[in-house]
Amino acid sequence: MDGYAAPQFADIETYLDSQLKKSLLRFITCGSVDDGKSTLIGRLLYESKMIFDDQLASLKNESKKFGTQGEEIDFALLVDGLAAEREQGITIDVAYRFFSTDRRKFIVADTPGHEQYTRNMATGASTADLAIVMIDARKGVLTQTRRHSFIVSLLGIRHVVLCINKMDLVDYDQATYDRILAEYRDFAADFGFESIQAIPVSALAGDNVVSNSDRTPWYDGPPLMEYLDTVEIASDDAGKAFRMPVQWVNRPNLDFRGFAGQIVSGSVKAGDAVRALPSGKSSKVSRVVAMGGDLDEGVEGQSVTLTLEDEIDVSRGDVLCADKQPAEVSDQFQATMLWMSDSAMLPGRSYVIKMGARECQMQVTEEKYRIDVNTRAHEAGKTLKLNEIGVVNIALDREVAFDPYEDNRRMGGFIVIDRMTNETVGLGLINFALRRASNIHRQAMDVSKELRASMKGQKPVILWFTGLSGAGKSTVANIVEKRLAAMGKHTYTLDGDNVRHGLNNDLGFTDADRVENIRRVGEVSKLMVDAGLIVLVSFISPFRAERRIVRQMVEEGEFWEVFVDASLEAAESRDVKGLYKKARAGEIKNFTGIDSPYEPPQAPEIHLETDRLDPEAAADLVIERLDAAGLLGG
Amino acid sequence: MKTLTHLDRLEAESIHILREVAASMQNPVMMYSIGKDSSVLLHLARKAFYPGPIPFPLLHVDTTWKFREMIAFRDALKDDPQTDLLVHINQEGVEQGIGPFTHGSSLHTDVMKTQGLKQALDKYKFDAAIGGARRDEEKSRAKERIFSFRSAQHRWDPKNQRPELWSLYNTRIKPGESVRVFPISNWTELDIWQYIYQENIDIVPLYFAAERPVVERDGILVLVDDDRLPLEPGEEPMMKQVRFRTLGCYPLTGAVESSASTITEIIEEMLRTTTSEREGRAIDKDAPASMEMKKQEGYF
Ligand SMILES: Nc1nc2c(ncn2[C@@H]2O[C@H](COP(=O)(O)OP(=O)(O)O)[C@@H](O)[C@H]2O)c(=O)[nH]1
Ligand SMILES: [Mg+2]
């Protein structure tokens, strides 16, 4: 009944030569659990005579033992190869299976339907050209159907076969089929699929798998196998600009220096001008080297070795590109990520990223939004948990060559690796480069104040506690710092004591020294703000002018004057360190409030009236204000 | 412009994988089992690094029960300046006199092959072992990644494999851990033969039919390769036109009756055959999940 793998040939040589011209099609089966994915693949293998007698015999045996079909053959067991899968009757990880027709060789990835194994489904989808989306005709479009279709579309698969399966269980009813198809087309409308071919099948009974079934006379499309055999998957990678990530620099001796890699798009010939990225150095290809003799041309998909006319510096991870159409170069991107680990993605944490042949460090600097996989609604979020998809900004520790994923899958896809466990924890697709400050010098772009701060999940600020000696500046600052630390914020406290003993131990209490004292403290605070810290400074700082100096050193909004307001009587009555007593006795000169004025702030960001508020309540107020101003990262 | 055939694409993928191993692992080795898959793998490695030498050694774990023709074929490689061949034998096993007849096939395979392999990997501190296993060989292989992670105890955890996206392989491991790498994962037996035909690759003559002395045991034709094969009472070696679809330890590998004496005849025979390649191997038959169990324990 079929013209597939059982070959009819007159002479083997002719046959072999025709076999050598086969093309390759990679596809996946996906959809919800129990929709019949594994059964369908088992059926395809069986029908294309890929199952040998001994395998069939052991399949029959196992079907009785583990099968879900009574005495009948359970084709899913052909694919569900792990012991745990066979025992539980489910698919846990991708299985790769192979079959061929006279025209094509197929690599099928059978993917698991359970949500918890989504990463395995993505593994299968990442290399596929086409997806078979399975639907159980009795159940219609389910959550996992949507989820998988979304991931399929995200990963850039443009051709979908919608197998509406188990038609035997709905009496081969056309209305059911039509309804499901309409529903699917509706929700997949904006997925960017170039084709959706729907086929009513019974994976179990074989209807419309290799030949059209009498039981669906209303269906006039091709059976599945014929469709797979003939569908045109125009990969336009060959027609795109030349790109080859350099995997290996081949230097067997001083006379040969070749750059080995797989051409991910376009083609290359001797004489072509190429540019190495990110360095931007150009040269010409002198040879396309291969073991059997040099090639006239290297094309998309081929693994080649190129030699160049000039001795330009090219190493592993660089990308050779068509000189006139080079890839982009950046170190900051917006990307869509799918998280694949039980430990959530944390912005600011340092991960390893691998794209092309390049590995470097990366951080998520900001999560723009999370995508609800079912509704595709955007949600605010700070992290990504297992199987969640989000759009994020990322920063790398160096520049890399890339193309947006949409334009070039292998130039825009990356994986994320945990530095501690070495697990692959995420996958990402580059949407575009972020160049918010293209005029800023590279050194400044490298790791910016914004990056350092967002790594810490906060905005930097100087909290300048000013007030009389004994007003409670250090006490309140201390409590505020403890609260911040408990929230995971990064802080540092500068107060008169730790600064006077070190940095400023050469300064006394003359007016000039006081100004210099404040200037230095201001500069140190500014550096700390640049480092992304929340800096708490407790300084009497009695003069408005000197506080203004510091305010002007940093950017708007980064200096908060916190007026710790206590009356002289109250402060003097506390006199914790006995200083007022000494000042009154004339043992200390220029003591603020006694023989030197205190100029209270006129418009402090925070005014703490310590006669009314106890230190805890005062600290609460400070935290509240910081939070309200969005400095604590929400 | 040239359009690539399925073999071109498989070849390119395999070469890409081999270069990733060489570039990103500290101390890789290529397992060389002398069979046709090893011959293909070796050919791919030559292509990947041409005109340079293959940047990692080959390792043969010799169980001491291989066919003599295999050993002769292997030893010819010792003169090849592009390759560096290591041979490891589990000496403890030899001292204990372990063999398939005295100790049974599973114990023999475990000690001489699995343990021997682990010894060699530990001895040379290889952090990546490239192997010629294919996903179409066996159902748990169909589930395995191309870069397949192994714990410091060489164990495979099939339920917890690293996702493998596009052709981006995560090659990072901690000290003591290792990876097994399978560059020809996506090839089928037919692809292998077609490629051997297309590229004119040298293989062990045992794959071609010839008159050979065999005895029949439990339905399997065993080659009388040397005088270590204990003949049962009344058992007489007979000359038969046979060949091997797969090669291993001779007492554990069944021959098939065949007249295919060229690559094209082999392919022709293969296309008409109705049994799988591994059927001739005794090792898989013990229990349904036996390959998966063996792999978890560190078998390739
Ligand atoms: N009646 C009927 N049952 C089917 C059909 N396809 C699959 N099944 C059964 O549905 C169950 C789930 O199949 P399986 O292939 O494991 O689903 P998967 O989870 O999508 O891989 C098994 O019991 C199959 O035998 C079909 O077309 N008709
Ligand atoms: Mg399944």
Side-chain angles (χ1 to χ4, degrees):
Chain A
M1 84 172 181
D2 61 51
Y4 300 101
Q8 304 299 315
F9 46 85
D11 99 272
I12 180 75
E13 245 109 81
T14 325
Y15 171 76
L16 262 178
D17 288 339
S18 75
Q19 291 297 297
L20 295 179
K21 296 201 182 72
K22 283 185 193 181
S23 61
L24 182 65
L25 179 73
R26 294 176 187 247
F27 68 93
I28 58 166
T29 53
C30 59
S32 200
V33 64
D34 275 349
D35 284 350
K37 299 179 290 297
S38 302
T39 308
L40 181 75
I41 292 193
R43 166 67 63 176
L44 286 172
L45 295 175
Y46 176 73
E47 299 284 0
S48 59
K49 307 279 183 289
M50 297 306 287
I51 310 302
F52 295 116
D53 289 356
D54 53 316
Q55 290 170 333
L56 199 60
S58 75
L59 175 65
K60 283 182 180 152
N61 254 328
E62 293 199 5
S63 295
K64 284 191 197 132
K65 201 152 128 204
F66 304 115
T68 56
Q69 292 301 325
E71 292 295 298
E72 299 293 310
I73 292 184
D74 185 348
F75 285 108
L77 290 176
L78 276 175
V79 198
D80 289 334
L82 299 177
E85 295 178 324
R86 304 158 85 74
E87 281 153 19
Q88 299 170 42
I90 59 163
T91 308
I92 293 175
D93 210 332
V94 209
Y96 294 90
R97 302 304 301 245
F98 311 87
F99 64 95
S100 57
T101 63
D102 283 344
R103 302 180 43 156
R104 276 191 172 148
K105 166 172 169 151
F106 297 91
I107 300 181
V108 200
D110 179 32
T111 68
H114 287 87
E115 179 176 353
Q116 68 188 113
Y117 305 126
T118 298
R119 59 184 184 185
N120 296 333
M121 181 268 164
T123 290
S126 69
T127 51
D129 309 306
L130 175 149
I132 295 185
V133 176
M134 296 291 285
I135 293 190
D136 183 332
R138 298 168 305 173
K139 298 183 185 153
V141 177
L142 301 174
T143 305
Q144 276 303 84
T145 324
R146 295 171 192 272
R147 180 178 196 88
H148 280 183
S149 298
F150 181 53
I151 294 173
V152 158
S153 117
L154 201 65
L155 288 177
I157 298 177
R158 292 289 163 255
H159 300 274
V160 164
V161 181
L162 188 68
C163 275
I164 301 180
N165 186 35
K166 306 199 187 180
M167 288 304 291
D168 55 314
L169 298 180
V170 295
D171 295 326
Y172 300 93
D173 175 39
Q174 181 179 7
T176 307
Y177 168 86
D178 288 342
R179 190 177 29 84
I180 294 173
L181 175 55
E183 188 185 350
Y184 188 83
R185 279 199 191 284
D186 187 43
F187 104 85
D190 58 350
F191 277 169
F193 296 142
E194 281 166 31
S195 69
I196 299 177
Q197 170 71 48
I199 307 180
V201 299
S202 168
L204 197 66
D207 299 276
N208 293 325
V209 175
V210 292
S211 52
N212 281 117
S213 168
D214 299 340
R215 291 180 284 218
T216 53
W218 43 267
Y219 172 70
D220 56 8
L224 177 62
M225 191 80 109
E226 183 187 315
Y227 184 73
L228 292 175
D229 205 22
T230 52
V231 57
E232 283 306 327
I233 305 289
S235 152
D236 50 352
D237 284 346
K240 290 178 187 161
F242 169 68
R243 303 276 186 267
M244 187 190 90
V246 174
Q247 278 186 283
W248 173 262
V249 180
N250 196 344
R251 280 227 85 162
N253 54 57
L254 291 177
D255 302 327
F256 188 89
R257 185 152 163 269
F259 304 104
Q262 191 169 14
I263 301 174
V264 300
S265 61
S267 62
V268 67
K269 294 191 298 291
D272 284 358
V274 290
R275 188 183 302 191
L277 292 178
S279 77
K281 297 260 168 27
S282 296
S283 181
K284 277 193 172 142
V285 174
S286 49
R287 294 172 58 196
V288 183
V289 182
M291 192 161 85
D294 284 4
L295 304 179
D296 294 336
E297 186 179 40
V299 299
E300 176 277 316
Q302 265 180 318
S303 286
V304 295
T305 301
L306 305 179
T307 58
L308 302 182
E309 285 181 4
D310 311 279
E311 284 260 332
I312 61 171
D313 182 22
V314 180
S315 48
R316 174 172 161 85
D318 294 350
V319 180
L320 292 176
C321 302
D323 191 41
K324 290 276 177 301
Q325 295 161 279
E328 294 179 54
V329 169
S330 185
D331 58 359
Q332 293 189 34
F333 306 98
Q334 191 198 85
T336 304
M337 285 203 335
L338 164 64
W339 202 248
M340 307 192 290
S341 165
D342 292 325
S343 353
M345 181 280 287
L346 295 178
R349 182 154 175 202
S350 167
Y351 295 98
V352 173
I353 184 174
K354 182 168 186 185
M355 50 185 301
R358 171 78 77 216
E359 266 182 32
C360 58
Q361 310 279 325
M362 75 146 232
Q363 283 144 358
V364 171
T365 51
E366 186 184 352
E367 182 168 319
K368 311 290 289 181
Y369 53 86
R370 216 166 35 215
I371 304 172
D372 181 312
V373 202
N374 303 319
T375 63
R376 274 174 285 144
H378 295 181
E379 303 165 342
K382 287 273 166 263
T383 64
L384 289 176
K385 296 205 280 290
L386 179 67
N387 297 327
E388 286 185 341
I389 296 173
V391 171
V392 297
N393 288 349
I394 61 174
L396 312 192
D397 67 347
R398 59 192 296 176
E399 295 193 312
V400 297
F402 76 98
D403 288 300
Y405 187 80
E406 214 179 44
D407 298 344
N408 197 324
R409 272 164 105 171
R410 289 185 61 181
M411 286 291 293
F414 61 85
I415 57 170
V416 182
I417 301 169
D418 186 282
R419 292 176 59 189
M420 298 300 155
T421 63
N422 289 329
E423 279 172 277
T424 306
V425 290
L427 73 84
L429 322 167
I430 292 180
N431 300 332
F432 50 80
L434 297 170
R435 284 202 194 83
R436 280 171 305 197
S438 53
N439 55 343
I440 292 180
H441 186 260
R442 248 208 67 71
Q443 205 60 41
M445 279 295 286
D446 221 350
V447 178
S448 63
K449 178 158 83 183
E450 287 72 30
L451 174 60
R452 291 189 204 98
S454 72
M455 283 168 64
K456 298 182 177 73
Q458 63 192 36
K459 293 211 176 91
V461 67
I462 300 171
L463 296 176
W464 191 277
F465 293 83
T466 173
L468 292 173
S469 174
K473 298 181 297 297
S474 301
T475 313
V476 177
N478 191 20
I479 300 170
V480 170
E481 188 173 27
K482 278 189 197 155
R483 300 262 170 91
L484 290 171
M487 296 163 77
K489 302 301 156 192
H490 300 253
T491 58
Y492 193 75
T493 295
L494 293 169
D495 68 26
D497 290 343
N498 65 7
V499 175
R500 283 266 178 203
H501 289 149
L503 179 66
N504 290 354
N505 69 1
D506 56 334
L507 301 179
F509 290 88
T510 65
D511 281 354
D513 279 1
R514 289 184 91 120
V515 170
E516 176 60 9
N517 185 27
I518 294 292
R519 190 194 68 80
R520 289 187 196 174
V521 170
E523 288 293 346
V524 171
S525 308
K526 185 185 167 190
L527 289 175
M528 288 182 168
V529 162
D530 201 43
L533 296 174
I534 297 172
V535 192
L536 301 95
V537 185
S538 319
F539 262 62
I540 298 173
S541 48
F543 304 115
R544 282 182 200 125
E546 56 190 16
R547 297 193 298 262
R548 194 177 320 119
I549 292 173
V550 183
R551 188 184 285 273
Q552 282 162 355
M553 283 180 185
V554 292
E555 283 172 43
E556 178 122 7
E558 288 178 347
F559 181 85
W560 282 32
E561 219 167 347
V562 182
F563 179 25
V564 186
D565 186 2
S567 62
L568 181 62
E569 300 74 55
E572 188 167 0
S573 72
R574 289 180 204 143
D575 202 10
V576 204
K577 300 173 199 159
L579 297 173
Y580 283 95
K581 215 168 152 201
K582 289 184 185 165
R584 292 276 182 208
E587 291 165 37
I588 304 176
K589 291 272 164 249
N590 295 331
F591 195 79
T592 301
I594 306 297
D595 55 350
S596 180
Y598 178 79
E599 300 173 7
Q602 284 160 329
E605 271 75 6
I606 303 178
H607 188 171
L608 302 174
E609 294 168 277
T610 60
D611 296 347
R612 274 198 319 112
L613 292 170
D614 67 13
E616 296 284 342
D620 284 345
L621 185 65
V622 174
I623 298 285
E624 218 169 83
R625 294 289 184 79
L626 288 174
D627 199 27
L631 296 183
L632 303 182
Chain B
M1 191 161 43
K2 185 177 158 65
T3 48
L4 299 186
T5 66
H6 81 286
L7 283 181
D8 293 333
R9 295 212 177 258
L10 290 174
E11 177 192 75
E13 177 184 66
S14 303
I15 289 176
H16 174 260
I17 294 163
L18 286 164
R19 289 171 174 166
E20 278 303 282
V21 188
S24 51
M25 303 309 294
Q26 299 282 321
N27 190 19
V29 66
M30 182 186 251
M31 304 306 299
Y32 181 71
S33 72
I34 325 175
K36 61 181 192 310
D37 298 324
S38 285
S39 288
V40 166
L41 206 52
L42 179 57
H43 183 79
L44 291 165
R46 290 184 201 281
K47 280 196 157 185
F49 304 103
Y50 176 85
I54 299 173
F56 37 72
L58 310 187
L59 170 68
H60 179 228
V61 178
D62 192 342
T63 62
T64 74
W65 289 86
K66 298 292 168 192
F67 293 93
R68 282 175 300 161
E69 280 182 78
M70 288 172 74
I71 300 301
F73 188 86
R74 175 196 77 188
D75 288 345
L77 264 186
K78 289 182 177 159
D79 302 328
D80 182 339
Q82 300 290 78
T83 61
D84 169 18
L85 175 73
L86 306 171
V87 175
H88 180 83
I89 295 176
N90 181 354
Q91 288 303 336
E92 287 167 32
V94 172
E95 278 154 30
Q96 290 162 30
I98 304 279
F101 298 114
T102 42
H103 295 78
S105 67
S106 341
L107 187 76
H108 163 73
T109 307
D110 180 54
V111 174
M112 299 308 289
K113 196 165 171 180
T114 309
Q115 302 307 325
L117 171 68
K118 288 196 226 172
Q119 276 174 0
L121 296 181
D122 291 341
K123 172 175 164 193
Y124 295 102
K125 306 215 174 346
F126 292 125
D127 60 353
I130 302 161
R134 307 187 319 265
R135 285 170 171 159
D136 80 325
E137 278 179 81
E138 197 274 334
K139 51 189 176 287
S140 66
R141 292 256 192 239
K143 292 274 166 180
E144 191 160 11
R145 299 285 189 259
I146 289 174
F147 273 71
S148 188
F149 178 81
R150 292 294 187 280
S151 69
Q153 291 71 43
H154 302 282
R155 291 187 74 91
W156 180 51
D157 182 358
K159 282 189 279 181
N160 198 15
Q161 303 191 77
R162 290 177 177 176
E164 203 160 76
L165 284 300
W166 302 287
S167 48
L168 295 176
Y169 303 106
N170 176 353
T171 59
R172 297 174 75 90
I173 53 170
K174 292 180 190 163
E177 297 170 345
S178 62
V179 285
R180 306 281 165 92
V181 186
F182 304 108
I184 56 170
S185 285
N186 289 328
W187 297 53
T188 61
E189 189 184 7
L190 185 57
D191 296 328
I192 292 284
W193 283 114
Q194 288 181 351
Y195 190 69
I196 289 172
Y197 169 74
Q198 175 183 290
E199 303 281 302
N200 209 357
I201 299 171
D202 213 13
I203 51 172
V204 183
L206 289 164
Y207 285 111
F208 300 108
E211 290 277 319
R212 297 189 170 97
V214 291
V215 293
E216 190 176 330
R217 287 194 181 161
D218 310 326
I220 292 177
L221 291 176
V222 179
L223 183 77
V224 186
D225 197 46
D226 58 34
D227 52 19
R228 289 183 295 176
L229 183 77
L231 293 179
E232 324 227 309
E235 217 173 39
E236 234 348 274
M238 45 192 169
M239 292 306 284
K240 281 197 174 206
Q241 180 89 0
V242 292
R243 65 177 208 90
F244 294 84
R245 284 179 69 188
T246 164
L247 296 178
C249 293
Y250 80 81
L252 304 178
T253 312
V256 290
E257 287 194 69
S258 164
S259 59
S261 58
T262 63
I263 302 279
T264 47
E265 283 168 5
I266 288 175
I267 296 178
E268 193 171 353
E269 183 185 283
M270 239 201 79
L271 290 168
R272 300 185 194 283
T273 194
T274 56
T275 56
S276 75
E277 172 185 28
R278 297 193 77 86
E279 202 195 23
R281 285 189 206 173
I283 174 171
D284 288 343
K285 286 205 173 157
D286 310 353
S290 74
M291 178 62 94
E292 183 180 338
M293 267 149 57
K294 286 199 162 54
K295 283 165 61 61
Q296 289 186 35
E297 285 156 13
Y299 180 85
F300 221 79

